[in-house]
Amino acid sequence: MNAPALMLLAWGLEVVIGWPDWLYKRIRHPVVWVGALISAFEKTLNRQTWPHQLRYLAGVITTLIIVATTTGVAIGISTFLPNTLAGLMIEALVASSLIASRSLYAHIAAVARPMAAGDVDSARKAVSMIVGRDPDLLDESGLARASLESLAENASDGVIAPIFWGAILGLPGLAAYKAVNTLDSMIGHRNERCGAFGGFAARLDDIANLIPARITGGLIAAAGFGVRGFRIMITDARRHRSPNAGWPEAAMAGALNVRLSGPRTYGGEKNNEPWLNEVGRDPTPSDINAGLGLYMRAMGLAAMLLALIASALVWGNAS
């Protein structure tokens, strides 16, 4: 089976069954395994007494080992599974565990439900599961804004990017991307502890997401059925602190005509981030559901595009 077709099958499994709770209880999750390995290396090699250059080198070595190990396991799975329907389903199931479209929808919906019911406290608890900012400092607009930003950014990091690399390089490409992205989420922070050790992982993640983030932005803008999403994405994406997250977030802001990003507080420290779509209105609880609808349409467009690519490869090989 060609790689795009494998990703389409894997994505379908992820949407329908996700990673079942009974399976998680027995063997956890591949990302948990990778995270445990990263944590072990970080505790051993990220010595605060070492000079900056040595900690950076230790981070480079850690990153390369984690990515190589994860990719090697994926190559082994792809190589040694039998060329049968059972082998294909096992490979697709493994690949499905590294795609997060179902869980992303569930996490954002977990904020939307209490927000719609006026239960701000429960909404804050749900938001604390998806963003790093202090939810106690967020009003209804802030909670809606945080949810929409997380939805847009993770549509790229958790769905489009892994499928993009999997469609190009199969399960090994998908696994390599997920290792890089997990490294970035765990050690790619610009703080005193991880600034040096995770610097290489953060830059590698920026490179890996360069194309997928722009694809995601385009999909979200197209799903908005108007030009405003494209216009705001093009004009405002580069204002974001991240070289990649601004693309899907700006597209989301334009498509819904709300303003996103802007000043926020992390760990008691205020960051004066610029607004995306500054002339837009502040988001309301109903905009979270509108954002989920936009996300579903964008993912539908992505699935159609992936199916077309997979079909073209099949036809090309048959001719």
Side-chain angles (χ1 to χ4, degrees):
M1 177 176 283
N2 61 53
L6 175 64
M7 290 303 105
L8 194 62
L9 176 59
W11 195 5
L13 288 173
E14 188 268 337
V15 169
V16 174
I17 66 174
W19 190 254
D21 289 340
W22 64 266
L23 188 58
Y24 182 86
K25 290 176 181 177
R26 285 167 174 77
I27 64 172
R28 295 300 181 186
H29 189 277
V31 173
V32 175
W33 308 337
V34 174
L37 191 59
I38 294 169
S39 181
F41 271 89
E42 195 274 335
K43 289 177 181 178
T44 302
L45 296 179
N46 189 17
R47 303 290 181 86
Q48 302 301 300
T49 56
W50 289 356
H52 181 281
Q53 293 85 349
L54 187 56
R55 290 169 65 194
Y56 185 86
L57 179 60
V60 171
I61 293 171
T62 294
T63 298
L64 294 178
I65 290 175
I66 297 295
V67 174
T69 300
T70 306
T71 306
V73 170
I75 291 173
I77 292 173
S78 296
T79 301
F80 294 109
L81 277 174
N83 189 24
T84 63
L85 179 60
L88 171 63
M89 294 304 294
I90 292 172
E91 185 173 8
L93 181 62
V94 173
S96 75
S97 71
L98 305 179
I99 304 169
S101 63
R102 180 188 175 105
S103 62
L104 174 56
Y105 185 96
H107 277 98
I108 303 302
V111 181
R113 285 191 294 270
M115 286 282 281
D119 186 355
V120 177
D121 288 339
S122 294
R124 286 192 174 115
K125 290 179 182 177
V127 164
S128 70
M129 303 297 291
I130 58 176
V131 299
R133 71 197 75 168
D134 187 351
D136 292 333
L137 302 178
L138 301 176
D139 57 12
E140 282 194 347
S141 291
L143 292 168
R145 181 175 293 114
S147 300
L148 292 171
E149 290 168 5
S150 180
L151 177 61
E153 181 176 1
N154 286 289
S156 177
D157 291 1
V159 186
I160 300 302
I163 290 173
F164 173 83
W165 288 109
I168 294 175
L169 299 171
L171 180 61
L174 171 58
Y177 170 78
K178 205 64 181 181
V180 171
N181 191 243
T182 305
L183 281 157
D184 178 64
S185 66
M186 292 185 66
I187 64 173
H189 308 294
R190 298 176 183 176
N191 55 27
E192 184 176 350
R193 179 170 183 83
C194 295
F197 186 77
F200 178 74
R203 299 293 79 74
L204 194 60
D205 184 72
D206 287 342
I207 295 169
N209 282 294
L210 194 67
I211 297 174
R214 287 147 180 81
I215 293 174
T216 307
L219 290 168
I220 291 173
F225 304 127
V227 299
R228 187 171 55 214
F230 287 104
R231 178 169 55 82
I232 297 301
M233 179 180 70
I234 292 169
T235 59
D236 287 11
R238 292 180 178 84
R239 303 181 66 197
H240 199 280
R241 67 189 182 282
S242 165
N244 295 317
W247 292 84
E249 287 187 27
M252 179 74 75
L256 297 177
N257 196 26
V258 297
R259 61 176 187 168
L260 297 180
S261 194
R264 73 273 314 280
T265 300
Y266 292 103
E269 182 178 341
K270 186 173 182 179
N271 294 296
N272 291 314
E273 304 290 345
W275 291 103
L276 303 176
N277 191 30
E278 186 171 7
V279 298
R281 57 184 172 79
D282 285 322
T284 64
S286 65
D287 287 313
I288 303 178
N289 284 321
L292 284 170
L294 186 65
Y295 164 72
M296 292 292 287
R297 294 195 298 274
M299 296 304 101
L301 290 173
M304 290 172 59
L305 180 60
L306 188 61
L308 286 173
I309 294 171
S311 299
L313 289 174
V314 171
W315 293 334
N317 291 333
S319 62

